[in-house]
Amino acid sequence: MAHGKPEITGMNYVLAVPDAMATARWWMDEMKFEKLRDLGGWVFVKRGPCMIMLGSCPDAIPVPDLGDHQYFGYIEFDDIDAYFDEIKDSKVDIMSQPEDKPWDMREFGVRTPDGHRVLFGENL
């Protein structure tokens, strides 16, 4: 059977963290994601089509030692200012406020308690 061009249907991230459940709680409580699965050592959180698979890896290289490799993702929303309003008063280390960028995105960045950095954006 002939098929058309394959399309991406979801976006998932896999992160090694010291304690998957503790990190998942932060994603749920502060970033307003939902817990999808707890597989004992692995906890999956999700919001819309974006899933983050958190694996307990206490012996992994500490995230602050990764330098620029602390960045792990760019998650897009249809209303970035509304999402920012959801999280701005929580215990989130906000690295940058929502701002229009020359690459036609409005975005802001946060740092997780483990030290990973993630950007959130909206197409302008």
Side-chain angles (χ1 to χ4, degrees), residues 36-93:
L36 184 62
R37 290 187 179 89
D38 181 348
L39 304 171
W42 283 93
V43 182
F44 297 1
V45 296
K46 185 172 179 134
R47 182 162 176 154
C50 177
M51 182 168 57
I52 302 172
M53 298 175 275
L54 303 161
S56 289
C57 300
D59 297 331
I61 297 170
V63 177
D65 294 347
L66 297 176
D68 287 340
H69 294 284
Q70 295 169 351
Y71 282 99
F72 81 85
Y74 193 103
I75 300 171
E76 292 185 34
F77 276 81
D78 61 354
D79 187 340
I80 201 63
D81 292 302
Y83 182 59
F84 184 77
D85 287 343
E86 281 185 35
I87 67 161
K88 70 180 179 185
D89 295 326
S90 59
K91 299 173 189 167
V92 177
D93 180 3

Side-chain angles (χ1 to χ4, degrees), residues 6-17:
E7 298 293 333
I8 295 171
T9 60
M11 183 67 65
N12 304 319
Y13 300 97
V14 180
L15 288 177
V17 296

